[in-house]
Amino acid sequence: MDTLRAAVVVLRVAEAGSFAAAARLLGVTPAAVARLVGRFEEAHGARLFRRSTRALSLTPDGERFLAEVRGPALALAAAASRLGAPVGVAGTVRVTAAASLAPTLLHALASLLERHPALRVELALDDHFADLGGGRWDLAVRIAPRIADASILARRLAPLPLITFASPTYLAKHGVPQAPDDLVRHRLIGVRLPATGRMMPWLYRAPGGTRRLQPDFALVVDGSDAMRAAAELGTGIAQAGSESTASLLASGELVTVLDAHAPPPWAVWMLRAPGPAGSALTAVMDAVVAAFRPLRK
């Protein structure tokens, strides 16, 4: 007698309420179910079910038997259903992100890859928006005031203040601007977006909204890393998101100016094209959300 098979059949009969209903679930005939249950009862000298023309119910022996085998039988069925399925989180996720977010993202991905050896991540760091509809990228992490494209799924991860900053050496030589209009008397460092060729504007708080400036830049670079490095060297004044300068501000190598005129914060956004997310993409998205959670405070 196959005790394991009999236990699964008895469990199905008890759940379905009849031999016929259990037979449909198991893909066999009602007669085959009845024969197997009958042989099992005969082999063990116990009745598991009360049978009548109207109903089928468990006997006390049947109830005790089911209470003991239900958990193991269900666990066995679940284990069998996972045979041949991928183990854990596996696959490749392609991510494009703002270069200034690299430290936060790399820290999160290092921990994630440690937990999931079968996961692969391709990370491209740049300062322009990529097309998520072409299939090249699975996920984007970007800095923007808002996301106007309704064709993509966007999640706001954290606010991101915009700050204006310079090195103490530069300010000691050229003075500290007290208002945005004072910037015309200073050397300014700007960023040109490689994808569009446009200059990043500088923003300041103004009565009734935000003031947008397009200064005369003394130095133009093509990325936030170069802009930050130039400011640290005393080349001039720059503006960027606070996350890219946090360590330099903490060390005193850079200091902020025009704080009273700072514009409303931008935000860090996580973007992806509509559609189902597999286990690998879901794991990466969860890690990204967790990485920026401390910045929400």
Side-chain angles (χ1 to χ4, degrees):
M1 172 61 64
D2 186 342
T3 303
L4 183 58
R5 183 184 177 201
V8 172
V9 171
V10 170
L11 178 61
R12 291 291 179 254
V13 171
E15 290 176 337
S18 71
F19 289 158
R24 287 193 295 271
L25 292 173
L26 295 167
V28 298
T29 65
V33 172
R35 283 196 301 270
L36 190 147
V37 172
R39 288 200 301 269
F40 186 79
E41 290 176 329
E42 182 177 351
H44 295 281
R47 298 278 288 182
L48 300 179
F49 296 98
R50 299 187 187 94
R51 301 166 176 82
S52 71
T53 56
R54 295 182 178 180
L56 188 72
S57 61
L58 287 166
T59 65
D61 282 339
E63 291 176 349
R64 284 193 296 272
F65 179 76
L66 261 294
E68 293 181 7
V69 304
R70 183 184 299 274
L74 292 176
L76 178 63
S81 70
R82 292 192 292 268
L83 289 175
V87 178
V89 175
T92 300
V93 179
R94 297 169 179 84
V95 183
T96 174
S100 60
L101 301 177
T104 301
L105 290 173
L106 290 173
H107 180 78
L109 291 175
S111 176
L112 184 66
L113 293 170
E114 179 71 23
R115 298 196 304 272
H116 302 293
L119 177 65
R120 300 290 181 267
V121 178
E122 295 182 13
L123 177 64
L125 297 166
D126 52 53
D127 289 316
H128 69 273
F129 274 74
D131 181 11
L132 293 174
R136 182 182 177 188
W137 304 108
D138 302 303
L139 195 68
V141 186
R142 290 295 168 194
I143 298 170
R146 66 189 63 83
I147 303 298
D149 188 349
S151 68
I152 59 176
L153 302 177
R155 176 169 179 173
R156 187 177 185 271
L157 298 178
L160 187 66
L162 289 180
I163 58 173
T164 306
F165 54 88
S167 71
T169 302
Y170 172 86
L171 296 175
K173 288 182 179 179
H174 301 280
V176 178
Q178 301 300 312
D181 289 338
D182 295 342
L183 293 173
V184 297
R185 296 188 290 275
H186 286 270
R187 289 202 309 267
L188 307 181
I189 306 166
V191 175
R192 188 185 302 278
L193 298 177
T196 63
R198 296 177 180 176
M199 297 298 301
M200 282 288 292
W202 284 23
L203 305 177
Y204 291 100
R205 189 179 303 274
T210 300
R211 182 182 178 187
R212 186 184 183 97
L213 301 181
Q214 285 288 1
D216 179 18
F217 294 109
L219 174 66
V220 175
V221 295
D222 66 354
S224 58
D225 288 342
M227 174 198 61
R228 193 166 53 251
E232 184 183 359
L233 290 171
T235 306
I237 299 175
Q239 186 180 81
S242 58
E243 92 299 336
S244 65
T245 57
S247 62
L248 295 173
L249 292 171
S251 67
E253 294 173 84
L254 293 175
V255 295
T256 60
V257 298
L258 300 177
D259 293 348
H261 302 274
W266 283 23
V268 179
W269 298 86
M270 183 171 68
L271 314 169
R272 73 177 181 91
S279 63
L281 179 55
T282 298
V284 172
M285 290 192 298
D286 289 345
V288 170
V289 171
F292 287 94
R293 189 169 290 127
L295 298 180
R296 296 179 194 173
K297 299 176 181 179

